[in-house]
Amino acid sequence: MLRYLTAGESHGPALTAIIEGLPSNLPLDLEFINHQLWRRQQGYGRGGRMKIESDRVEILSGVRFDKTMGTPVAMTIQNKDWRNWSEKMAITGQAPSSVVEITKPRPGHADLAGALKYNQEDIRNVLERASARNTATMVAVGSVARLLLRHFGIEVYGHVVELGSVRVEKFEGTIAEIAERAERSEVRVADPEVEKRIIEQIDAAKAAGDTLGGVFEIIVTGAPIGLGSYSHPDRKLDGRLAQALMSIQAIKGVEIGIGFDAARTPGSHVHDEIGYSQGAYQRRTNHAGGLEGGVTNGQPVVVRAAMKPIPTLYKPLESVDMRTKEPYRATIERSDVCAVPAAAVVGEAMVAWTIGQSFLEKFGGDSIEEIERNYKSYLQAIGER
Amino acid sequence: MLRYLTAGESHGPALTAIIEGLPSNLPLDLEFINHQLWRRQQGYGRGGRMKIESDRVEILSGVRFDKTMGTPVAMTIQNKDWRNWSEKMAITGQAPSSVVEITKPRPGHADLAGALKYNQEDIRNVLERASARNTATMVAVGSVARLLLRHFGIEVYGHVVELGSVRVEKFEGTIAEIAERAERSEVRVADPEVEKRIIEQIDAAKAAGDTLGGVFEIIVTGAPIGLGSYSHPDRKLDGRLAQALMSIQAIKGVEIGIGFDAARTPGSHVHDEIGYSQGAYQRRTNHAGGLEGGVTNGQPVVVRAAMKPIPTLYKPLESVDMRTKEPYRATIERSDVCAVPAAAVVGEAMVAWTIGQSFLEKFGGDSIEEIERNYKSYLQAIGER
Amino acid sequence: MLRYLTAGESHGPALTAIIEGLPSNLPLDLEFINHQLWRRQQGYGRGGRMKIESDRVEILSGVRFDKTMGTPVAMTIQNKDWRNWSEKMAITGQAPSSVVEITKPRPGHADLAGALKYNQEDIRNVLERASARNTATMVAVGSVARLLLRHFGIEVYGHVVELGSVRVEKFEGTIAEIAERAERSEVRVADPEVEKRIIEQIDAAKAAGDTLGGVFEIIVTGAPIGLGSYSHPDRKLDGRLAQALMSIQAIKGVEIGIGFDAARTPGSHVHDEIGYSQGAYQRRTNHAGGLEGGVTNGQPVVVRAAMKPIPTLYKPLESVDMRTKEPYRATIERSDVCAVPAAAVVGEAMVAWTIGQSFLEKFGGDSIEEIERNYKSYLQAIGER
Amino acid sequence: MLRYLTAGESHGPALTAIIEGLPSNLPLDLEFINHQLWRRQQGYGRGGRMKIESDRVEILSGVRFDKTMGTPVAMTIQNKDWRNWSEKMAITGQAPSSVVEITKPRPGHADLAGALKYNQEDIRNVLERASARNTATMVAVGSVARLLLRHFGIEVYGHVVELGSVRVEKFEGTIAEIAERAERSEVRVADPEVEKRIIEQIDAAKAAGDTLGGVFEIIVTGAPIGLGSYSHPDRKLDGRLAQALMSIQAIKGVEIGIGFDAARTPGSHVHDEIGYSQGAYQRRTNHAGGLEGGVTNGQPVVVRAAMKPIPTLYKPLESVDMRTKEPYRATIERSDVCAVPAAAVVGEAMVAWTIGQSFLEKFGGDSIEEIERNYKSYLQAIGER
């Protein structure tokens, strides 16, 4: 069982993650992981903070000479700005008198519910962990799963398909082309025409002091038939993917394959007919997004997630002070307009993690060599049917 | 920790469920559970099978004199049609020569992937468990959670908001009104005008040999502030709800609050501003669907799920025989046109289960009396802030 | 992940178990399981109840034509005496006036703590589930794991090595001989001389109105090198075995290999030196009981558990009535003198379950055929080192 | 649900732990944790390494101004000797030519099984994680649970009751006296007479190049009635304690209360009779070690664990080289003679963790204040019965 825990406050000294259950002898490319962290920090329409940071992961255990040992992998990401926060976020000692408690909950955040649930006077104790900053560890953790999948020819791609009111209509191109173009785009959009309109829209939102959400799509290629199971509800891979994506900050919707459109289309046009040629089962369509009955069916896994706009606006929202119960309208100094391209990178990570988990559940094995043997013999066995 | 396991094949002797982790002294209204099972079997556009069945749960343990004992609750639902299946689905003994193996996988089902994954020659061994028949145990299990929630004033309602191409536009009415009207509707739709159009559409699909999907909405009222957590990704209640709903057969999309529309709306119109009056925090809107940062915020929890059309069509889909690799087009004798109203009942159950789980995690307690004390003192404490 | 839930009150209508996570195509020999249930009911010194019962498991799902389908296996064991209890233990309806509440907690049972924890006036609501009767489902569940292990040449044997003050000294014989002799013994003791003394001791205890405990040993042969892991504390197989055995009713101690004697012996005489001959690593001794660092090392796994004497004595123990706080001394009608031979059968089941779980974790696989491939290729790979 | 993961190699840059599920507002005394780490490093008969190290935990998250925030707590323990190992244990880069692979598995360690399981040529990749060095994180993690328990008046004490062939006979004294005397003893033994004989025995073993094991006892005072449950086997607190202790390196036996002696004593002398005086249920004896039916009964929880002697001997054991299959006898430079006093500190930590987990399961709550309310109202409710 592959599992992880993460820890860390947005302005604390460091973020930490531990992954347990990795096989041994997996080449662990640190630069690959750092590159994913870098990708999370990109995107047109980001504010100042992304420039302060330049996240790099430090591995503290579980890896020797670039290979996993089958033992837990611990990773930290230092907060480059910690010297400016070491008083306000001090682990030990009394709160210095200079610390100003945050008592005004922001709409669209965990602030109000968190302060009540955890009985906190200072909302900072809520927002520091609820912050999207913590998606950095999700990316670190998911990137390790991605290296595992890549070893077996499974790749995970993410691209933005909607941003605000602009939508990518059916893009003509292979998955590889989509991935390659999205990678070059500042907004992670494959279609250059749409990209242009999206950037204009971000500029307009910025000028208006507003923010934008959007939808990203994750595509997994190379996943074998048979990941996930219909045996019990909590084994269904579609359910697990939905949880993984919906647990990312600001995600409010998830769909698989054609998703909500499946609900609006007659059955005769929804299901992917099955053919057989060149020694393998074939589909002309992939409306199911690679998942039937909670199990991968050999087609690319396709999932989409809807991200709400960032709730920290220049045009501030109404709230109340929890101490005085007086209404207020916060003024803020800086904010991102849009974080959808970055969220797509987080989405890739969470999907990779979930697929990686189900992959190890199916193929077992303690070393990469053992998994390779198990994997090959399974592919051979089902290839003969 | 509240947990369950279910078991059962669609045409096996019985379905079984065990729930572990319930508090003691919860009044367990068997008729309530059976009523939920009955509700799952209703809905305009169902075919023949729903009439054969008339599910009733039998409780085998964990309850004495109508109250839980704090011990595991086992439930079975007998298959009323078992005498017609006892040979074909015999648990013991050799397969009788009369058994015809199913070798033609149906598109849109787990058939093909399941047969390969579990190395089955007879696809019946796949479809029997992957069948939507097994949502009956989900309803049984969820109904127990619902009784727990109801004890604490938390109610769960489901209604259909889209069916095929027809959509319920903003319905003016209280949640109680929606619930009450949907309950009286054959298609679980609150708006009588829309209901009429939906029934016409079902009739048309039936005539065309086609099937329809749709979208249902689940509303939870009375949930306290503070269920779920942002502390770790797998604690987020939105993620857990997404998993619970996406794990229901045929669900391809899940959204919370305004969901995908949040992605298409500027930030200034998405977030629910916070007010304070009459001694409590207030919201004028509930676009977040009662969840901010993965935590309930005191507003009704609102989630929606998209169901694809039933894949068993009179107008058959193309597939191949796994033995001969010859193409075929199945002819079928009967089918439902639409199962969305029934799926809404399953959705209620899965949402109730998930909320019930997070409720017990937060409030602990081994007996209903202990939970009542814990719950009241929490409500009082946060009421003072 | 192999998992199970059990349910059932001692005098309820039936005991229930669900196993989830079994591979498909495992031959499931129902008579083998029933034979294990029968073995649990044997043993010199048992009182009347064992004769009333003659447990038989009924499988409700997960199996077709004697083979698993990869879906959850549900099993029930009917209470043959239910007609005498259907009023006193009625699931629904008001408590009949004839029901006498139990208010006197028995020392050595969960009675007092359970009544307070679960807020029960009637201690019957505690003792019904805490009863050793429920080890029947443990045996049913463990026997399924045993069939899985047996398929891969792994066998589990149990025998009694101490009973009251009598101890089996070093028995000269192979494991097969121990198993075979213990199987024929009424007290599950391999050494006929010791057996005789044990039976005399049981007779004496019976005459004195007293009860006896003892120690049983479980031996697992054929387990491959590499089950369990040192990677994380909760993965250590020795810890999991300890939990499995200590969770059986009345068990108060567990040891692995020479166990407590290891603490009393100098290091130079404790550890099992490693040799190599005939193409394999060899040990002359097995003081470690087949487990080093929480991992199987290829030697037989040997664990022992200490069972306290049955706390229901003819010579009653002092307690108080929870209502009146008056002291009392219960008189009882019948009791077993000793249940150690039966507990050994439960111990076999729990050890088989735990080994089976770790076996599937290591070898993955959804069908027996897939596991066979994975298993063979692993054995071959480590055989070459 | 309270959970943790640890990571770290013995000679890696640092050990890491993450704890998730702690309530907010728990005062987190860092010096208390560091003191526990220091205690783990003490004990007569330790070799050189303990002096190199002087473990100190660094908290990276979850705590602000000395109080938990309800978010995950990450801790690291730096390896003070890392500069001497940074080449041999380098995370990244090729193995330098100076690295000598370990190919000779040591009896009594995970070496042989681990090298085969994880397909490692260099046994260092096994021993680094399997090492008892990693009990440092267990102590760190358990010490946090201990602070939680202490907040509710629950204390955990450990002392050595056997070492090699010397045994502490019934020590006359209160638990507080035992704890206080053991704390002052170099071998963590309460009885000064026995302590003397134990030290002599350690000296003799050292002179002989041998090692010694022993037995330690953990006592928990102040635990309320009702932790753990008989509802399901995996909820039984005795089973969980057994797993926690057996998962500590070198532990081969666990017993609760009088443990194995219970098996050897007639029932009339084993069970703890129940009385009532001064408004509370009373016991004159505590043979059950505070646990009946897997549930705490209000008496001190008493568990004991048997530790085998350290397998690294000056008098080396026979093994083979895995490459050449040639026999060899290792010579070693230094070793501890006995680690039982240190293991007792690890035992305290693991017991504290397990009790802490079951405490939070029962009392729920997100903040210390909420748990206090729940706890008090429960104590009051059961106090009235």
Side-chain angles (χ1 to χ4, degrees):
Chain A
M1 189 184 54
L2 189 63
R3 53 186 169 166
Y4 75 89
L5 285 178
T6 62
E9 272 67 51
S10 181
H11 299 97
L15 306 176
T16 312
I18 296 178
I19 301 174
E20 207 276 331
L22 284 172
S24 61
N25 297 336
L26 174 68
L28 208 78
D29 181 345
L30 187 57
E31 283 320 302
F32 177 85
I33 301 171
N34 283 329
H35 180 62
Q36 302 307 319
L37 290 174
W38 175 85
R39 291 176 73 233
R40 191 195 72 95
Q41 293 182 289
Q42 305 312 304
Y44 192 84
R46 311 297 297 274
R49 187 162 186 205
M50 287 300 117
K51 278 144 204 162
I52 294 175
E53 300 164 20
S54 164
D55 288 334
R56 292 190 70 80
V57 85
E58 185 186 8
I59 296 178
L60 294 178
S61 64
V63 180
R64 191 178 175 215
F65 306 142
D66 286 332
K67 281 192 177 177
T68 58
M69 290 186 277
T71 60
V73 172
M75 302 184 285
T76 57
I77 300 170
Q78 298 297 320
N79 175 5
K80 300 272 169 76
D81 199 28
W82 171 237
R83 66 182 179 283
N84 294 324
W85 286 90
S86 59
E87 269 204 7
K88 271 179 275 190
M89 287 295 293
I91 306 284
T92 54
Q94 294 292 306
S97 55
S98 61
V99 165
V100 181
E101 291 191 355
I102 300 176
T103 59
K104 302 176 178 76
R106 298 161 302 162
H109 284 280
D111 293 9
L112 177 61
L116 295 172
K117 175 184 177 77
Y118 288 110
N119 197 26
Q120 296 300 311
E121 297 290 320
D122 186 353
I123 291 171
R124 175 164 301 287
N125 293 347
V126 172
L127 64 87
E128 284 284 333
R129 179 67 187 160
S131 162
R133 168 72 188 139
N134 292 302
T135 57
T137 44
M138 291 188 189
V139 171
V141 157
S143 299
V144 173
R146 215 160 158 170
L147 285 167
L148 172 71
L149 294 176
R150 172 168 280 197
H151 191 86
F152 293 95
I154 303 167
E155 294 285 348
V156 181
Y157 306 108
H159 64 122
V160 173
V161 294
E162 292 187 47
L163 206 146
S165 58
V166 181
R167 184 171 190 157
V168 179
E169 298 306 325
K170 189 67 193 157
F171 176 74
E172 300 302 330
T174 64
I175 294 171
E177 282 164 7
I178 291 172
E180 190 256 343
R181 281 156 172 273
E183 201 60 32
R184 278 185 290 147
S185 160
E186 269 187 305
V187 285
R188 210 162 279 287
V189 167
D191 184 327
E193 280 308 302
V194 178
E195 182 188 28
K196 207 180 134 200
R197 284 192 288 134
I198 281 175
I199 287 174
E200 286 165 10
Q201 195 189 204
I202 292 173
D203 290 339
K206 188 170 188 174
D210 215 330
T211 58
L212 295 169
V215 177
F216 60 80
E217 178 175 270
I218 309 292
I219 304 170
V220 182
T221 59
I225 293 175
L227 301 183
S229 176
Y230 52 81
S231 166
H232 205 263
D234 57 0
R235 298 241 186 211
K236 295 187 83 179
L237 185 55
D238 39 14
R240 291 193 190 182
L241 286 167
Q243 176 173 22
L245 287 169
M246 197 72 98
S247 298
I248 299 171
Q249 274 82 345
I251 300 303
K252 300 299 280 188
V254 178
E255 58 182 6
I256 294 179
I258 61 169
F260 276 83
D261 278 352
R264 296 156 187 156
T265 308
S268 52
H269 292 73
V270 164
H271 305 290
D272 306 308
E273 296 184 308
I274 302 172
Y276 189 88
S277 66
Q278 298 170 304
Y281 297 98
Q282 310 286 350
R283 311 274 184 145
R284 272 184 301 265
T285 57
N286 185 23
H287 298 149
L291 282 158
E292 288 172 307
V295 183
T296 51
N297 67 5
Q299 297 302 303
V301 175
V302 180
V303 292
R304 268 182 303 282
M307 185 187 206
K308 69 179 184 185
I310 292 168
T312 314
L313 305 169
Y314 281 95
K315 197 159 75 179
L317 299 164
E318 209 171 302
S319 185
V320 296
D321 187 304
M322 288 183 77
R323 287 241 174 91
T324 63
K325 307 297 186 289
E326 292 300 313
Y328 87 104
R329 282 177 174 277
T331 52
I332 57 154
E333 306 88 49
R334 66 151 199 235
S335 172
D336 295 351
V337 171
C338 170
V340 184
V345 178
V346 183
E348 289 171 359
M350 287 295 90
V351 166
W353 177 264
T354 307
I355 302 279
Q357 250 185 344
S358 65
F359 187 88
L360 290 184
E361 278 170 27
K362 168 138 191 58
F363 296 107
D366 293 309
S367 66
I368 279 292
E369 296 79 17
E370 184 176 6
I371 300 173
E372 283 169 0
R373 291 193 306 264
N374 297 353
Y375 189 51
K376 275 180 205 163
S377 80
Y378 171 73
L379 292 187
Q380 190 184 332
I382 66 169
E384 289 164 6
R385 289 195 61 193
Chain B
M1 188 184 55
L2 190 61
R3 54 185 168 166
Y4 77 87
L5 286 178
T6 62
E9 272 66 51
S10 181
H11 298 97
L15 305 176
T16 311
I18 296 178
I19 302 175
E20 207 278 329
L22 284 172
S24 61
N25 298 335
L26 173 69
L28 208 79
D29 182 345
L30 187 58
E31 283 320 301
F32 177 84
I33 301 171
N34 283 329
H35 180 63
Q36 302 307 319
L37 289 175
W38 175 85
R39 290 174 74 232
R40 191 195 70 94
Q41 293 182 290
Q42 306 312 302
Y44 192 84
R46 310 298 296 275
R49 187 163 185 207
M50 286 299 117
K51 278 144 203 161
I52 294 176
E53 299 164 21
S54 163
D55 288 335
R56 292 190 70 79
V57 85
E58 185 185 7
I59 295 178
L60 295 179
S61 64
V63 180
R64 190 177 175 216
F65 307 142
D66 286 333
K67 280 191 177 178
T68 59
M69 291 186 277
T71 60
V73 172
M75 301 184 285
T76 57
I77 299 170
Q78 298 297 322
N79 175 8
K80 299 272 169 76
D81 199 28
W82 171 237
R83 66 181 179 285
N84 294 324
W85 286 90
S86 58
E87 269 204 6
K88 271 178 275 189
M89 287 296 293
I91 306 283
T92 53
Q94 293 292 306
S97 56
S98 60
V99 165
V100 181
E101 291 191 356
I102 300 176
T103 58
K104 302 176 177 75
R106 298 161 302 162
H109 284 280
D111 293 8
L112 177 61
L116 295 172
K117 176 184 177 76
Y118 288 110
N119 197 26
Q120 297 300 311
E121 297 289 321
D122 186 353
I123 292 173
R124 176 163 301 287
N125 293 347
V126 172
L127 64 87
E128 283 284 332
R129 178 68 186 159
S131 161
R133 169 72 188 141
N134 293 303
T135 57
T137 44
M138 291 188 189
V139 170
V141 157
S143 299
V144 173
R146 215 160 159 171
L147 286 168
L148 172 71
L149 294 177
R150 172 168 279 197
H151 192 87
F152 294 95
I154 303 167
E155 295 285 349
V156 180
Y157 306 108
H159 64 123
V160 172
V161 294
E162 293 187 46
L163 206 145
S165 58
V166 182
R167 184 171 189 157
V168 180
E169 296 306 325
K170 189 68 193 159
F171 176 75
E172 299 302 329
T174 64
I175 292 171
E177 283 164 7
I178 291 172
E180 189 257 341
R181 281 157 171 274
E183 201 61 32
R184 278 186 291 147
S185 160
E186 271 188 303
V187 286
R188 210 162 280 286
V189 167
D191 184 326
E193 280 309 301
V194 178
E195 181 188 28
K196 208 180 133 201
R197 283 192 288 135
I198 281 174
I199 287 174
E200 286 165 10
Q201 195 190 203
I202 292 173
D203 291 339
K206 188 169 188 175
D210 214 331
T211 58
L212 295 170
V215 177
F216 61 80
E217 178 176 270
I218 310 292
I219 304 170
V220 183
T221 60
I225 294 174
L227 302 183
S229 176
Y230 52 80
S231 167
H232 205 263
D234 55 1
R235 300 242 186 209
K236 296 188 83 180
L237 185 55
D238 40 14
R240 292 193 190 182
L241 287 167
Q243 176 174 23
L245 287 169
M246 197 72 96
S247 299
I248 299 171
Q249 274 82 344
I251 301 303
K252 299 300 280 187
V254 178
E255 58 182 6
I256 294 179
I258 59 169
F260 275 83
D261 278 352
R264 297 156 186 156
T265 309
S268 52
H269 292 73
V270 163
H271 304 290
D272 306 307
E273 296 184 308
I274 302 172
Y276 188 88
S277 68
Q278 297 169 305
Y281 297 98
Q282 310 286 350
R283 312 274 183 143
R284 272 184 302 266
T285 56
N286 185 24
H287 298 149
L291 283 158
E292 288 171 309
V295 184
T296 53
N297 67 5
Q299 297 302 302
V301 174
V302 181
V303 292
R304 268 182 304 282
M307 184 186 207
K308 69 179 184 185
I310 291 169
T312 314
L313 304 170
Y314 283 94
K315 198 158 74 180
L317 299 164
E318 208 171 304
S319 185
V320 296
D321 186 303
M322 290 184 76
R323 288 241 174 93
T324 63
K325 308 296 186 289
E326 292 301 312
Y328 86 105
R329 283 178 172 276
T331 51
I332 58 153
E333 306 87 49
R334 65 154 198 232
S335 172
D336 294 350
V337 171
C338 169
V340 184
V345 178
V346 183
E348 289 171 1
M350 286 296 90
V351 166
W353 177 264
T354 308
I355 302 280
Q357 250 185 344
S358 65
F359 187 88
L360 291 185
E361 278 170 26
K362 168 141 189 56
F363 296 107
D366 293 308
S367 66
I368 279 291
E369 296 79 17
E370 185 176 7
I371 301 173
E372 283 170 0
R373 293 193 307 264
N374 297 354
Y375 189 52
K376 276 179 202 161
S377 80
Y378 172 73
L379 292 186
Q380 191 184 331
I382 66 170
E384 288 164 6
R385 290 195 60 194
Chain C
M1 188 183 54
L2 190 62
R3 54 187 168 165
Y4 76 88
L5 286 178
T6 62
E9 273 65 52
S10 180
H11 299 97
L15 306 177
T16 311
I18 296 178
I19 302 175
E20 206 278 329
L22 284 171
S24 61
N25 297 336
L26 173 69
L28 208 79
D29 181 346
L30 188 58
E31 283 320 301
F32 177 84
I33 301 171
N34 282 328
H35 180 62
Q36 303 307 318
L37 290 175
W38 175 85
R39 290 174 74 231
R40 191 195 70 95
Q41 293 182 290
Q42 305 311 303
Y44 193 84
R46 309 299 296 275
R49 183 157 190 210
M50 287 299 117
K51 278 144 204 162
I52 294 175
E53 301 163 20
S54 165
D55 288 335
R56 293 190 70 79
V57 85
E58 185 185 7
I59 295 178
L60 294 178
S61 64
V63 180
R64 190 177 175 215
F65 306 142
D66 286 333
K67 280 192 176 177
T68 58
M69 290 185 278
T71 60
V73 173
M75 300 185 285
T76 58
I77 299 170
Q78 298 296 320
N79 175 5
K80 300 274 169 76
D81 200 28
W82 171 238
R83 66 181 179 283
N84 295 324
W85 286 91
S86 58
E87 269 204 7
K88 270 179 277 192
M89 287 295 292
I91 305 283
T92 54
Q94 293 292 305
S97 56
S98 62
V99 165
V100 182
E101 290 191 356
I102 300 176
T103 59
K104 302 175 178 75
R106 298 160 303 161
H109 284 279
D111 293 9
L112 177 60
L116 295 172
K117 175 184 179 76
Y118 288 109
N119 196 27
Q120 296 301 311
E121 297 290 321
D122 187 351
I123 292 172
R124 176 162 300 288
N125 293 347
V126 172
L127 63 86
E128 283 285 332
R129 178 69 186 159
S131 161
R133 168 70 188 140
N134 292 303
T135 57
T137 42
M138 292 187 189
V139 170
V141 157
S143 298
V144 173
R146 216 161 158 168
L147 286 168
L148 172 71
L149 294 176
R150 171 168 282 196
H151 192 87
F152 293 95
I154 303 168
E155 295 284 348
V156 180
Y157 306 108
H159 65 120
V160 173
V161 295
E162 293 187 48
L163 204 147
S165 59
V166 181
R167 184 171 190 158
V168 179
E169 297 306 325
K170 188 67 194 157
F171 177 74
E172 300 301 330
T174 63
I175 292 170
E177 281 163 8
I178 291 172
E180 188 257 342
R181 280 155 172 273
E183 201 59 32
R184 277 186 289 146
S185 160
E186 270 188 306
V187 286
R188 209 162 281 285
V189 166
D191 184 327
E193 280 309 301
V194 178
E195 180 188 31
K196 207 180 134 201
R197 284 192 289 134
I198 280 175
I199 287 173
E200 286 165 10
Q201 196 190 202
I202 292 173
D203 290 340
K206 187 171 191 175
D210 215 331
T211 58
L212 295 169
V215 177
F216 61 80
E217 179 175 272
I218 309 292
I219 304 170
V220 183
T221 60
I225 294 175
L227 302 183
S229 176
Y230 52 80
S231 166
H232 205 262
D234 57 1
R235 298 242 186 206
K236 296 188 81 179
L237 185 56
D238 40 14
R240 291 194 190 181
L241 286 166
Q243 176 174 21
L245 287 168
M246 196 72 99
S247 298
I248 300 171
Q249 274 83 344
I251 301 302
K252 300 299 280 188
V254 178
E255 57 182 8
I256 293 179
I258 61 170
F260 277 83
D261 279 353
R264 295 155 188 155
T265 308
S268 51
H269 291 73
V270 164
H271 304 289
D272 305 309
E273 296 183 309
I274 301 171
Y276 189 87
S277 67
Q278 297 169 305
Y281 297 97
Q282 310 286 350
R283 311 275 183 144
R284 272 184 302 265
T285 57
N286 184 22
H287 297 149
L291 283 158
E292 288 172 307
V295 183
T296 52
N297 67 6
Q299 298 300 304
V301 174
V302 182
V303 292
R304 269 181 303 282
M307 185 188 207
K308 70 180 183 183
I310 291 168
T312 313
L313 303 169
Y314 283 93
K315 198 158 76 177
L317 299 164
E318 208 171 301
S319 185
V320 297
D321 185 303
M322 289 184 75
R323 289 242 174 91
T324 63
K325 307 296 184 291
E326 292 301 312
Y328 87 105
R329 281 176 173 280
T331 52
I332 58 153
E333 307 87 49
R334 66 152 198 232
S335 173
D336 295 350
V337 172
C338 169
V340 184
V345 177
V346 183
E348 290 171 359
M350 287 294 90
V351 167
W353 177 264
T354 308
I355 302 280
Q357 249 184 346
S358 65
F359 187 88
L360 290 185
E361 278 170 26
K362 169 143 189 54
F363 296 107
D366 293 309
S367 66
I368 278 292
E369 296 78 18
E370 184 176 6
I371 301 173
E372 282 170 1
R373 292 193 306 264
N374 296 353
Y375 189 51
K376 275 180 204 162
S377 80
Y378 172 73
L379 292 186
Q380 190 184 331
I382 66 170
E384 287 164 6
R385 289 196 60 192
Chain D
M1 189 183 54
L2 190 61
R3 53 186 169 165
Y4 75 88
L5 285 178
T6 63
E9 273 66 51
S10 181
H11 298 96
L15 305 177
T16 312
I18 295 178
I19 301 175
E20 205 279 328
L22 284 171
S24 62
N25 297 335
L26 173 69
L28 207 78
D29 182 345
L30 188 58
E31 282 320 301
F32 177 85
I33 301 171
N34 283 328
H35 180 61
Q36 302 307 319
L37 289 175
W38 176 85
R39 290 174 73 231
R40 191 194 71 94
Q41 294 182 289
Q42 305 311 304
Y44 192 85
R46 308 300 295 277
R49 185 161 188 207
M50 287 299 118
K51 276 142 206 162
I52 294 175
E53 301 164 20
S54 164
D55 287 336
R56 292 191 71 80
V57 84
E58 184 186 6
I59 295 178
L60 294 179
S61 64
V63 180
R64 190 177 175 216
F65 306 143
D66 286 333
K67 279 191 177 177
T68 58
M69 290 186 276
T71 60
V73 172
M75 301 185 285
T76 57
I77 300 170
Q78 298 297 321
N79 175 6
K80 300 275 169 75
D81 200 28
W82 171 237
R83 65 181 179 283
N84 295 324
W85 286 90
S86 57
E87 270 204 6
K88 270 179 276 190
M89 288 295 292
I91 306 283
T92 54
Q94 293 293 306
S97 56
S98 61
V99 165
V100 181
E101 292 192 355
I102 300 177
T103 59
K104 301 177 178 77
R106 297 160 303 162
H109 284 279
D111 294 8
L112 177 60
L116 295 172
K117 176 185 177 76
Y118 288 110
N119 197 26
Q120 296 301 311
E121 297 289 321
D122 186 353
I123 292 172
R124 176 163 300 287
N125 293 347
V126 172
L127 63 86
E128 283 285 332
R129 178 68 186 160
S131 161
R133 168 71 188 141
N134 292 304
T135 58
T137 43
M138 291 187 189
V139 170
V141 157
S143 299
V144 173
R146 216 160 159 170
L147 286 167
L148 172 71
L149 294 176
R150 172 168 280 195
H151 191 87
F152 294 95
I154 303 168
E155 294 284 349
V156 180
Y157 305 108
H159 64 121
V160 172
V161 294
E162 293 187 48
L163 206 147
S165 58
V166 182
R167 183 171 190 157
V168 180
E169 298 304 326
K170 188 68 195 159
F171 177 74
E172 300 300 332
T174 63
I175 292 170
E177 282 164 7
I178 290 172
E180 189 257 341
R181 280 156 171 274
E183 201 60 32
R184 279 186 289 146
S185 161
E186 271 188 305
V187 286
R188 210 162 279 286
V189 166
D191 184 328
E193 280 309 301
V194 178
E195 181 189 28
K196 209 180 132 199
R197 283 193 288 134
I198 280 174
I199 287 173
E200 286 165 10
Q201 196 191 203
I202 291 172
D203 290 340
K206 187 170 190 174
D210 215 330
T211 59
L212 295 170
V215 177
F216 61 80
E217 179 175 272
I218 309 292
I219 304 171
V220 182
T221 60
I225 293 175
L227 302 183
S229 176
Y230 52 80
S231 167
H232 206 263
D234 56 1
R235 298 241 186 211
K236 296 190 81 180
L237 185 55
D238 39 14
R240 291 194 191 182
L241 287 166
Q243 176 175 22
L245 286 168
M246 196 72 98
S247 299
I248 299 170
Q249 274 83 344
I251 300 303
K252 301 298 280 188
V254 178
E255 58 182 8
I256 293 179
I258 61 170
F260 275 84
D261 278 354
R264 296 155 188 157
T265 308
S268 53
H269 291 73
V270 164
H271 305 289
D272 305 308
E273 296 184 309
I274 302 171
Y276 188 87
S277 67
Q278 298 170 304
Y281 297 97
Q282 310 286 349
R283 312 274 183 144
R284 273 184 301 266
T285 56
N286 184 23
H287 298 148
L291 282 159
E292 288 171 309
V295 184
T296 53
N297 66 7
Q299 297 301 304
V301 173
V302 181
V303 292
R304 269 182 302 283
M307 185 188 207
K308 69 179 183 184
I310 291 167
T312 314
L313 304 169
Y314 282 93
K315 199 159 73 178
L317 298 164
E318 207 170 302
S319 185
V320 297
D321 186 302
M322 289 183 76
R323 289 243 174 91
T324 63
K325 309 295 186 290
E326 292 301 311
Y328 86 104
R329 282 175 173 280
T331 52
I332 57 153
E333 307 88 50
R334 65 156 197 229
S335 172
D336 295 350
V337 171
C338 170
V340 184
V345 177
V346 183
E348 291 170 0
M350 287 295 90
V351 166
W353 177 264
T354 308
I355 302 279
Q357 249 185 345
S358 64
F359 187 88
L360 291 185
E361 278 171 26
K362 169 143 189 54
F363 295 108
D366 292 309
S367 67
I368 279 290
E369 297 78 18
E370 184 176 7
I371 301 174
E372 283 170 359
R373 292 192 307 264
N374 297 353
Y375 189 52
K376 276 179 203 160
S377 81
Y378 171 73
L379 292 186
Q380 190 184 329
I382 66 170
E384 288 164 5
R385 290 197 57 193

